[in-house]
Amino acid sequence: MSGCGFFSRGAAVVATAATAVRASRVPRVFTVTHRPLHTSLQSRSFAKELFLGNIEQKGVFPFPEISQDELSEINQFVGPVERFFNDEVDSRKIDQEGKIPVDTLEKLKSLGLFGIQVPEEYGGLGLSNTMYARLGEIFSMDGSITVTLAAHQAIGLKGHSGMHWDRQG
């Protein structure tokens, strides 16, 4: 019988521990407070508003003007890039072989297209978004090259609040 008593006391300890664990899993009742989920002003999505029939005119009009300096600078790049894509890039070969030839990659590099938006002090061209978009019209003639160049303009280049350039990070 003494063995049974030990067993029942042990079972009681286990049962008490199990009850305590279950009790700790029971959700506690909190008082409901009404506070906004966002602490900052909500920005309205241009696309959402467009679908709702509302045009956020200050975001669209007037269309940004390109300065004469920026226009002449981009024109220095457009000619050589267009010639290269028209004369030397064989998109069919790139698609069939599944890779961009090394000489094509070297030419892209020599044209500075891997650093279109990288500041000049870091070895890039330092071009604006408008200028990047204009060159993008040209290099989008080949999908593989477009993806390759776009990755070099995006991955690690821009922070969540714009471009951040410092030597520490």
Side-chain angles (χ1 to χ4, degrees):
M1 273 292 167
S2 65
C4 285
F6 177 73
F7 180 74
S8 67
R9 265 185 282 137
V13 170
V14 169
T16 304
T19 303
V21 168
R22 269 186 254 125
S24 69
R25 291 185 196 159
V26 174
R28 293 189 177 106
V29 178
F30 293 100
T31 58
V32 178
T33 59
H34 297 288
R35 68 177 180 88
L37 295 176
H38 303 284
T39 56
S40 63
L41 294 174
Q42 284 187 328
S43 62
R44 295 168 51 161
S45 165
F46 177 80
K48 177 181 176 183
E49 292 299 314
L50 192 61
F51 279 104
L52 294 173
N54 303 321
I55 296 176
E56 181 75 30
Q57 290 190 10
K58 69 179 181 180
V60 181
F61 303 108
F63 191 77
E65 295 289 327
I66 300 173
S67 70
Q68 193 59 42
D69 291 339
E70 191 175 23
L71 187 58
S72 59
E73 185 177 5
I74 192 61
N75 286 334
Q76 294 174 20
F77 294 103
V78 169
V81 173
E82 275 184 333
R83 276 191 298 283
F84 170 67
F85 275 87
N86 288 329
D87 300 344
E88 299 181 44
V89 173
D90 186 351
S91 293
R92 178 174 288 159
K93 180 180 176 184
I94 291 171
D95 288 345
Q96 287 174 343
E97 294 181 3
K99 65 179 181 177
I100 302 171
V102 174
D103 61 319
T104 301
L105 291 171
E106 287 298 321
K107 183 66 176 186
L108 293 168
K109 179 181 174 185
S110 70
L111 288 168
L113 297 179
F114 285 103
I116 295 172
Q117 293 184 301
V118 175
E120 291 180 67
E121 62 262 28
Y122 296 103
L125 297 177
L127 302 183
S128 69
N129 286 333
T130 303
M131 297 165 79
Y132 171 64
R134 176 61 183 104
L135 289 177
E137 291 175 2
I138 301 166
F139 63 72
S140 67
M141 293 166 54
D142 182 277
S144 299
I145 291 175
T146 300
V147 170
T148 301
L149 294 177
H152 281 81
Q153 306 313 308
I155 300 173
L157 186 66
K158 297 175 184 170
H160 56 82
S161 62
M163 296 175 103
H164 299 286
W165 295 99
D166 60 15
R167 294 190 186 273
Q168 297 172 359

